[in-house]
Amino acid sequence: MTLPGGEQLILPFTSNFKSEPVDCSAGGTLELDTSIVIDVDDAMREFFLRDSGRIDERGRVPVGYVYLTVRFSPAWRPNFASLQFTAATSSMSRMFARSASVRKVFTHLTATTGGVCCLLDTETDIFDICWLNGETFSGETVPGARFSHFHDLVAAWREPVE
């Protein structure tokens, strides 16, 4: 991958299921595909472990495909990048919403990279908030139906309550 400024990285992703080099030096949008390794919890066990032998020696299971859309310098936050991970199937997405291990992986990713917000799409009209401005949330939700765009949802949640 070639980044703005010319730096090149090798990452554990494909782009549109191809392994050719990707140039994102001009910004815009980047589509990636990957697998992630997640600790097994009850939701993961129910969804993935119908066949035994997939758990590694550390109690984790590979999950994939997971799609990643990266938007460099989106109009609503030009000094940031927006990363949107999407489960490959609706049933996988529902498992993601039930799994504490999945929430932990994405909350940790957001926190360690200096992310501002991590929302979990529950495949309903509700988004679960996992991380916002340096704080982990548990059980906090925001109605998604009234927001046409992710940035509108984040902006509304950040508004001070009067």
Side-chain angles (χ1 to χ4, degrees):
M1 175 180 300
T2 303
L3 298 173
E7 182 180 2
Q8 293 187 343
L9 302 171
I10 299 200
L11 300 172
F13 298 97
T14 56
S15 181
N16 297 308
F17 304 105
K18 297 177 192 161
S19 296
E20 288 110 30
V22 176
D23 184 355
C24 57
S25 60
T29 300
L30 176 63
E31 301 289 335
L32 300 171
D33 335 291
T34 193
S35 293
I36 55 177
V37 179
I38 300 178
D39 291 336
V40 174
D41 62 12
D42 289 342
M44 296 286 293
R45 189 171 285 106
E46 179 182 323
F47 183 81
F48 280 106
L49 302 177
R50 294 179 191 105
D51 56 338
S52 60
R54 294 189 59 197
I55 300 175
D56 71 12
E57 66 281 353
R58 294 173 59 188
R60 303 172 310 170
V61 65
V63 178
Y65 275 104
V66 176
Y67 306 118
L68 169 58
T69 302
V70 181
R71 289 178 184 83
F72 297 98
S73 299
W76 61 90
R77 288 281 185 221
N79 294 325
F80 289 82
S82 169
L83 281 69
Q84 179 180 348
F85 290 88
T86 305
T89 66
S90 291
S91 59
M92 184 190 295
S93 183
R94 288 187 294 274
M95 182 277 297
F96 274 23
R98 290 191 314 267
S99 173
S101 292
V102 168
R103 181 181 305 271
K104 182 179 174 183
V105 164
F106 287 106
T107 300
H108 180 72
L109 176 64
T110 304
T112 58
T113 59
V116 175
C117 182
C118 177
L119 299 177
L120 181 64
D121 182 349
T122 63
E123 297 234 344
T124 67
D125 288 337
I126 300 291
F127 291 95
D128 284 349
I129 302 168
C130 301
W131 178 264
L132 184 64
N133 290 332
E135 280 188 60
T136 300
F137 283 80
S138 178
E140 297 286 330
T141 60
V142 173
R146 68 180 183 164
F147 300 100
S148 58
H149 299 338
F150 170 78
H151 66 277
D152 294 334
L153 185 149
V154 174
W157 185 257
R158 293 173 135 191
E159 290 175 3
V161 179
E162 298 180 26

